Amino acid sequence: MRWYWLASVLWGGSLLLLQGGFCAEVEEAFLDAEQTAIEAAVQRVAPAIVRIELIGIAETTAEVRAGAPTVGTIIDPDGWIVASAQVAAQPAATILVVTQTAERLTAAIVAQDRAREWVLLKVDSPEPLPAVSLLADIPTQIGQYTIAVGRVADGGKPAVSVGILSAVDRLHGRALQTDARVSPLFYGGPLLNIQGDVLGFLVPAMPDAAGAEEKSGWYDSGIAFAVPTDQVLRRVPRMQQGTDIHPGLLGIAAGEADPYSPVAKIAGVRVRSPAEKAGLQPNDRWLEIEDQPISFQYQLKQILGQFDAGDEIRMRIERDDQELELSATLAQTIPPLDLQSIGIYVRGDAETLRIVGIQPDSPAAVGGLELGDQLITLQELPIVSRRALRQQIALADPEEKLRWKVRRGDREIDLETAVVSIAGNLRALPDDDQMFPTIPAGQWQTAQLALPDVANQIRYYAPETDGDAPLAGLLVVLLDPGDTELEKALESWRSAAEKFSVAVAVIASADEKRWTPAEADVVSRAAAQLANRLQLDRSDCGLTGQSAAASFAMALVVAITETEAFSGIAVVTELRPPAVRLKENDVDLPLQFALPVTEDDDLPSWAGVLPRLGYPIIRTGQRDPQTLLRWVRTLSRL
């Protein structure tokens, strides 16, 4: 056996030597075949790839300029062209389409798909135009070749970028993802497979949690998105009639924070939404939408993302061990979020959820709720978790009373409370402070938090406790760029931290001159680790800057992009917001803003859009450690 093993090794080694030249030939032949296939695929679509030039874009200075060129794809010989949303991002006096043969045609925007970031253009041409052939059903496989095709500014050969298909059903089921490196010269162009079939059309979309300064800021990052061909084909007929496509809104809050939760339930239903009209209720468990099964929480957004405003969807849910068939027509708009509160603080799990604090003069106090009451039902539905209770209260109709059943001692009592908007002046804390007992000063200490492969310095001030005296919250402070004196920065917060039982963490920028968007993830990770260490959750965590504009701008980037980390952000009125995409407040992960203004002060111009997008503004009046930490304590209020 020993001789056989040695002979095998020697024989195998000689084979490798003999095959070395053969392998090189095979590799060269493979690369030649690959290049030939890519070139053939590109040539199939090249005549239909056009350059798009925007002429006469208005500037705020009353001047006009030409926009950066992008591309489009002719999908019909009669002059129908798919282009990216960049074409419609700014009004232009003229949209010019330049064909492969240098013919220049004037185009008009017929309609936009605002959910998928593409537009439909129309040009009039005396001759039929070369168009791509589109198939509605093209098999895809993760890892397969993808070829992005665009056109450079001076015409000539098409621009080509090769990669793989790295994901499907991205952006709520609306996009393919490729690692091909693209730029605006590709947006509107096709994404091909190795056979030259059009898998989709490249668009300047980005992930919900992206921190890029603009959508095109993700180009050349190895992450690019394309709207699948079948989704485009389904919408072209409507758009040819001049009908814009909008995201379809249902109006629900998810029952679980974990998107991979195997139980997909509804925590809350928005007022005057399609969900409310359809009869959906909190605690309903999802089974199917349009015959597509829902096994995990994340699948809900994936499936709903396939549909548009005006689409009617069939839903199958489970309620009280019974299966129900419901239908809803998705809406283009829903009344903006106006998060509500009754003014209570609770502790415990679903079986023992008790009131430990009541805000003075709140709906809860007026309605007769008392400290120690165990919450049993809300609107005659069992209370399943603190998170679900928070969302059900937050989404309540301000014009209707909430019906409660509570256990007080050995009695069950029925009560009613009104609700009040979270927005407004900073509310008073409960008179009875039993919910957050004062933690002796001797138990507080300054500690360091170290994250792997992170250059940022992080310090925090918190007590060493076993959880018997729970903290009321955590405030993360982003220091001004260049400030590395973390101990000194914490000093001004210590007495207020002890008074309000709120931990404070300070984080320094990695670069002494600036914060970078990449550090948003660092801040989020630090907050998550500290919250876990201090037995807190997202609803207890706030974020702010130190004093410089850069620290507040970075705090805003973090709050908007790292939505799972913080429930509140405190900024200054002089803030110059960075160019991040501000969407409607997330009903599943709502965020509130704290501003140092009074009820008599006008909001700064940049903040005027916040209420329209559903972000409550808390007017704190001042911006000092005691005021900010008192605000943090109110974040967990229901």
Side-chain angles (χ1 to χ4, degrees), residues 110-383:
V110 178
Q112 303 181 47
D113 184 341
R114 300 179 184 274
R116 296 165 187 82
E117 310 280 2
W118 69 278
V119 301
L120 184 65
L121 303 180
K122 180 67 169 66
V123 298
D124 293 324
S125 173
E127 301 291 336
L129 297 174
V132 295
S133 176
L134 300 181
L135 302 175
D137 187 15
I138 304 174
T140 56
Q141 183 175 353
I142 302 300
Q144 73 179 72
Y145 278 101
T146 55
I147 306 167
V149 186
R151 191 169 291 284
V152 294
D154 59 355
K157 291 185 178 180
V160 178
S161 179
V162 179
I164 64 167
L165 185 68
S166 48
V168 297
D169 292 331
R170 289 300 313 277
L171 308 183
H172 301 167
R174 296 171 181 148
L176 306 172
Q177 179 177 310
T178 175
D179 69 350
R181 295 182 178 273
V182 304
S183 72
L185 295 177
F186 287 86
Y187 294 144
L191 184 70
L192 312 178
N193 61 18
I194 196 67
Q195 291 80 24
D197 299 318
V198 179
L199 298 175
F201 297 89
L202 294 157
V203 292
M206 66 182 185
D208 287 341
E213 292 187 354
E214 55 181 5
K215 295 173 185 177
S216 60
W218 276 73
Y219 72 74
D220 201 32
S221 66
I223 299 177
F225 299 101
V227 180
T229 298
D230 63 326
Q231 294 193 24
V232 170
L233 286 174
R234 284 203 302 270
R235 290 162 179 84
V236 162
R238 287 175 59 192
M239 295 175 69
Q240 286 177 324
Q241 303 302 314
T243 302
D244 283 352
I245 306 295
H246 295 269
L249 305 179
L250 182 59
I252 57 168
E256 299 289 339
D258 180 6
Y260 296 98
S261 169
V263 179
K265 283 191 173 183
I266 296 174
V269 177
R270 292 182 62 173
V271 177
R272 292 177 289 281
S273 68
E276 182 184 61
K277 295 175 183 177
L280 290 171
Q281 297 180 6
N283 297 343
D284 285 349
R285 178 176 179 176
W286 289 102
L287 299 176
E288 290 180 349
I289 292 179
E290 287 293 318
D291 300 323
Q292 299 180 62
I294 299 175
S295 301
F296 298 95
Q297 191 80 47
Y298 78 90
Q299 292 175 311
L300 184 61
K301 286 186 176 180
Q302 295 293 100
I303 294 174
L304 287 175
Q306 302 170 20
F307 301 98
D308 306 317
D311 289 346
E312 184 176 357
I313 59 171
R314 293 175 292 108
M315 306 170 290
R316 190 162 66 89
I317 56 104
E318 181 182 80
R319 180 185 300 164
D320 298 330
D321 298 324
Q322 293 185 337
E323 292 187 8
L324 301 176
E325 299 277 352
L326 303 173
S327 64
T329 300
L330 301 181
Q332 177 179 327
T333 60
I334 296 176
L337 277 175
D338 184 9
L339 300 175
Q340 304 293 310
S341 167
I342 65 167
I344 61 172
Y345 297 80
V346 300
R347 190 178 303 150
D349 54 29
E351 302 299 324
T352 60
L353 204 60
R354 294 183 181 276
I355 298 176
V356 296
I358 300 177
Q359 178 188 310
D361 301 322
S362 65
V366 174
L369 289 171
E370 297 182 1
L371 290 175
D373 284 351
Q374 180 182 342
L375 304 176
I376 301 174
T377 66
L378 171 56
Q379 306 296 71
E380 302 177 1
L381 297 171
I383 296 170

